[in-house]
């Protein structure tokens, strides 16, 4: 658990050959080391992790859709005749 005076940032970075995307979520530091503060901090951390996961999933879904659209375009334009390939 971080010290009460030091803020915490939850960070995830997605890197691909074409882009890099960083996700940041700031967490409030607990003001005391009481059990209630620790519990609240962990609860907030869990909420932020869920939000972070949702943001990453949105990005990855968009990237998958882009890849599928590109593959469909290439498949139509650069389609290989499988029957002809088998004959070779």
């Amino acid at each position: 658990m971080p010290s009460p005076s030091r803020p915490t940032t939850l960070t995830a970075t997605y890197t691909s050959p074409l882009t890099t995307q960083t996700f940041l979520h700031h967490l409030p530091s607990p003001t005391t080391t009481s059990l209630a503060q620790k519990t609240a901090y962990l609860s907030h951390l869990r909420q932020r992790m869920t939000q972070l996961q949702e943001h990453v999933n949105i990005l990855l879904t968009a990237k998958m859709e882009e890849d599928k659209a590109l593959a469909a375009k290439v498949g139509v334009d650069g389609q290989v005749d499988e029957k002809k390939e088998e004959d070779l």
Side-chain angles (χ1 to χ4, degrees):
M1 177 149 332
S3 66
S5 62
R6 195 171 138 208
T8 304
T9 304
L10 184 61
T11 307
T13 303
Y14 168 83
T15 304
S16 73
L18 301 175
T19 186
T20 297
Q21 175 77 38
T22 300
F23 302 91
L24 298 172
H25 288 277
H26 299 287
L27 299 169
S29 296
T31 55
T32 67
T33 57
S34 72
L35 180 59
Q37 283 290 321
K38 288 178 182 179
T39 302
Y41 175 81
L42 292 174
S43 175
H44 195 74
L45 175 62
R46 183 178 182 148
Q47 289 172 344
R48 290 297 193 187
M49 284 294 300
T50 300
Q51 291 173 348
L52 179 68
Q53 184 178 11
E54 288 172 4
H55 291 139
V56 170
N57 286 344
I58 289 168
L59 173 72
L60 293 177
T61 300
K63 294 292 181 189
M64 287 173 40
E65 292 299 322
E66 289 173 14
D67 289 347
K68 282 174 32 179
L70 181 61
K73 182 179 179 185
V74 169
V76 170
D77 294 341
Q79 191 170 12
V80 174
D81 186 351
E82 290 182 23
K83 185 166 178 82
K84 191 174 182 179
E85 283 245 330
E86 287 178 15
D87 292 339
L88 296 175

